[in-house]
C-alpha cells in the first residue's frame, strides 16, 4: 500500500494541516499572478476600493493588451472565490464588457447600439450570452 503524503497544494491553494485544524492560503498563487503579469511593483493599498468608485475610459492612455487583461481578470476571479474583500473591486473591472448590436431588415440597417452590460460575466461565453439576450430583447421591441 502506497501513501500519498500530506496535502500541501491544491488548485493554487496552500494547505496547512495542524492539530488546530486545516488552513488554506493563496499567498503563493498571488505572488505567481504578480510575477506572470509583471505587476510586482504595483502600488499596494490597505483597504478595498470604495463602493462609489467609477471607472472611466482613459482616452489619452495607451491601448490595453486584451489577452493579458482577460488573463489577469480570470486569475482574479479565481482568487475572489476565497477573498471576499476583493470581490467588489474585481467585479468592477470585469463589468467593462460592452454589448454591441446591429439589426438588418434584408440588407438595410434599421437599428444599432452599444450598451455596458449590467451584470458581471464569469466567462467570455457568458458575456456573449448576455449580449445575445440583449440583442433578442431589442428585436422583440422592434417587432412590436
Amino acid at each position: 500500500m502506497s501513501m500519498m503524503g500530506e496535502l500541501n497544494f491544491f488548485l493554487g491553494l496552500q494547505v496547512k494541516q495542524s492539530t488546530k485544524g486545516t488552513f488554506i492560503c493563496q499567498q503563493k498563487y498571488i505572488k505567481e499572478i504578480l510575477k506572470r503579469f509583471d505587476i510586482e511593483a504595483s502600488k499596494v493599498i490597505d483597504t478595498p476600493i470604495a463602493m462609489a468608485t467609477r471607472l472611466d475610459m482613459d482616452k489619452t492612455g495607451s491601448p490595453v493588451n486584451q489577452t493579458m487583461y482577460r488573463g489577469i481578470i480570470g486569475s482574479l476571479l479565481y482568487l475572489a472565490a476565497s477573498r471576499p474583500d476583493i470581490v467588489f473591486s474585481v467585479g468592477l473591472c470585469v463589468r467593462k464588457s460592452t454589448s454591441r448590436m446591429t439589426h438588418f431588415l434584408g440588407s438595410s440597417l434599421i437599428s444599432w447600439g452599444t450598451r455596458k452590460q449590467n451584470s458581471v460575466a464569469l466567462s467570455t461565453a457568458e458575456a456573449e450570452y448576455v449580449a445575445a439576450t440583449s440583442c433578442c430583447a431589442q428585436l422583440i421591441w422592434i417587432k412590436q
Side-chain angles (χ1 to χ4, degrees):
M1 179 184 342
S2 66
M3 299 292 282
M4 289 180 46
E6 186 176 304
L7 178 66
N8 291 315
F9 292 98
F10 181 72
L11 297 176
L13 300 171
Q14 289 171 266
V15 181
K16 180 69 177 168
Q17 298 174 352
S18 71
T19 56
K20 294 181 180 180
T22 302
F23 300 92
I24 61 168
C25 175
Q26 289 184 305
Q27 184 176 13
K28 186 175 189 295
Y29 180 74
I30 293 168
K31 287 181 180 179
E32 288 173 2
I33 291 172
L34 295 175
K35 187 175 182 180
R36 182 177 358 141
F37 297 110
D38 195 27
I39 50 177
E40 295 168 294
S42 296
K43 183 180 173 186
V44 177
I45 60 170
D46 294 330
T47 59
I49 197 167
M51 296 286 280
T53 301
R54 289 187 53 206
L55 297 180
D56 296 320
M57 184 190 309
D58 183 5
K59 294 179 182 177
T60 60
S62 58
V64 174
N65 178 334
Q66 290 190 14
T67 303
M68 185 174 94
Y69 178 78
R70 289 178 180 153
I72 292 170
I73 292 299
S75 297
L76 289 174
L77 281 170
Y78 179 75
L79 183 63
S82 66
R83 294 285 309 268
D85 58 324
I86 67 167
V87 169
F88 178 77
S89 303
V90 173
L92 191 63
C93 294
V94 170
R95 195 177 159 258
K96 297 186 94 179
S97 295
T98 303
S99 298
R100 296 173 193 85
M101 61 189 104
T102 55
H103 300 98
F104 290 86
L105 182 60
S107 61
S108 301
L109 177 66
I110 59 168
S111 172
W112 67 92
T114 62
R115 183 179 310 146
K116 185 183 277 189
Q117 293 181 355
N118 292 326
S119 60
V120 173
L122 298 178
S123 67
T124 53
E126 187 178 349
E128 294 295 329
Y129 180 74
V130 170
T133 302
S134 178
C135 185
C136 288
Q138 181 72 16
L139 281 173
I140 292 170
W141 182 84
I142 289 170
K143 184 179 176 187
Q144 293 175 347

